[in-house]
């Protein structure tokens, strides 16, 4: 029925890995018994040093790095959260501002553009306005944008600007006006 296994038969069943491990362990025990006492101590110390290094490299060093970098990451997260809260508050303030009637918005936009002189031309098209600029300084453009945002409640929906020389811009801005923003 069941024939006994001899030394030339190879086990390929589910216990093959366990048999190989047991064989390796027996070989290690045989090698250990052949070592002198001094050699056993050296091997033990070497294994302990290797084990301590592996424990440090795998378990302690990553945790140590995380602990050291945590305050910086926490501060960066808090800074980002404060910035997002400021943006949320600004968005709430802007939503709470009452819209300006279209005629009043167009008038405010025209007045602000007139102050720019010949470097800007305004074209009104209902709830849209097109500003074409040539040689306008960055400071003038920033001031104009702040003025039309506050006075006309206008917002830029499209911008096509190019810097012609340091601090001077050419291009066009399309703005949305009135309550339909």
């Amino acid at each position: 029925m069941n024939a006994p296994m001899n030394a030339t038969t190879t086990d390929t069943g589910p216990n093959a890995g366990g048999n190989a491990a047991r064989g390796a362990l027996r070989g290690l025990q045989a090698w250990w018994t052949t070592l002198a006492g001094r050699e056993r101590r050296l091997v033990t110390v070497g294994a302990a040093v290797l084990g301590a290094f592996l424990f440090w490299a795998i378990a302690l060093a990553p945790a140590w790095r995380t602990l050291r970098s945590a305050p910086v990451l926490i501060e960066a997260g808090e800074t980002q959260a404060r910035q997002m809260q400021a943006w949320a508050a600004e968005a709430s303030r802007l939503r709470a501002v009452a819209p300006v009637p279209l005629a009043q918005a167009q008038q405010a936009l025209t007045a602000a553009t007139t102050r720019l002189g010949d470097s800007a031309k305004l074209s009104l098209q209902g709830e849209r306005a097109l500003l074409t600029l040539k040689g306008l300084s960055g400071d003038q453009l920033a001031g104009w944008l702040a003025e039309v945002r506050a006075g006309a409640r206008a917002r830029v929906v499209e911008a096509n600007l190019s810097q012609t020389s340091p601090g001077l811009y050419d291009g066009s801005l399309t703005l949305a006006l009135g309550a339909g923003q």
Side-chain angles (χ1 to χ4, degrees):
M1 306 271 158
N2 284 339
M5 292 180 141
N6 60 24
T8 59
T9 306
T10 306
D11 188 6
T12 58
N15 292 328
N19 289 338
R22 278 192 288 277
L25 185 58
R26 281 189 206 113
L28 187 59
Q29 286 173 339
W31 171 76
W32 183 259
T33 58
T34 62
L35 294 178
R38 181 173 179 218
E39 291 173 332
R40 287 182 188 173
R41 280 190 298 274
L42 285 174
V43 170
T44 303
V45 168
V49 168
L50 180 62
F53 170 74
L54 288 175
F55 181 69
W56 169 260
I58 294 171
L60 295 180
W64 187 262
R65 277 193 301 274
T66 300
L67 283 174
R68 287 180 38 209
S69 65
V72 174
L73 294 174
I74 290 170
E75 181 61 33
E78 288 173 352
T79 301
Q80 187 177 20
R82 283 191 298 271
Q83 180 65 48
M84 291 175 69
Q85 288 171 344
W87 288 337
E90 181 181 1
S92 294
R93 281 192 308 273
L94 290 175
R95 267 190 238 106
V97 173
V100 175
L102 183 60
Q104 185 179 346
Q106 289 175 338
Q107 184 181 10
L109 192 58
T110 302
T113 306
T114 303
R115 286 189 273 284
L116 295 178
D118 292 336
S119 56
K121 304 262 186 276
L122 182 67
S123 170
L124 297 171
Q125 303 154 355
E127 290 189 357
R128 296 282 174 143
L130 176 67
L131 177 74
T132 307
L133 38 115
K134 186 153 183 74
L136 191 64
S137 76
D139 291 338
Q140 287 176 305
L141 181 58
W144 181 84
L145 284 169
E147 185 177 349
V148 299
R149 180 67 191 150
R153 307 288 192 273
R155 65 180 174 92
V156 177
V157 293
E158 185 179 333
N160 183 12
L161 297 173
S162 60
Q163 189 172 15
T164 56
S165 61
L168 296 179
Y169 295 92
D170 287 355
S172 64
L173 297 174
T174 304
L175 299 123
L177 307 172
Q181 298 186 45

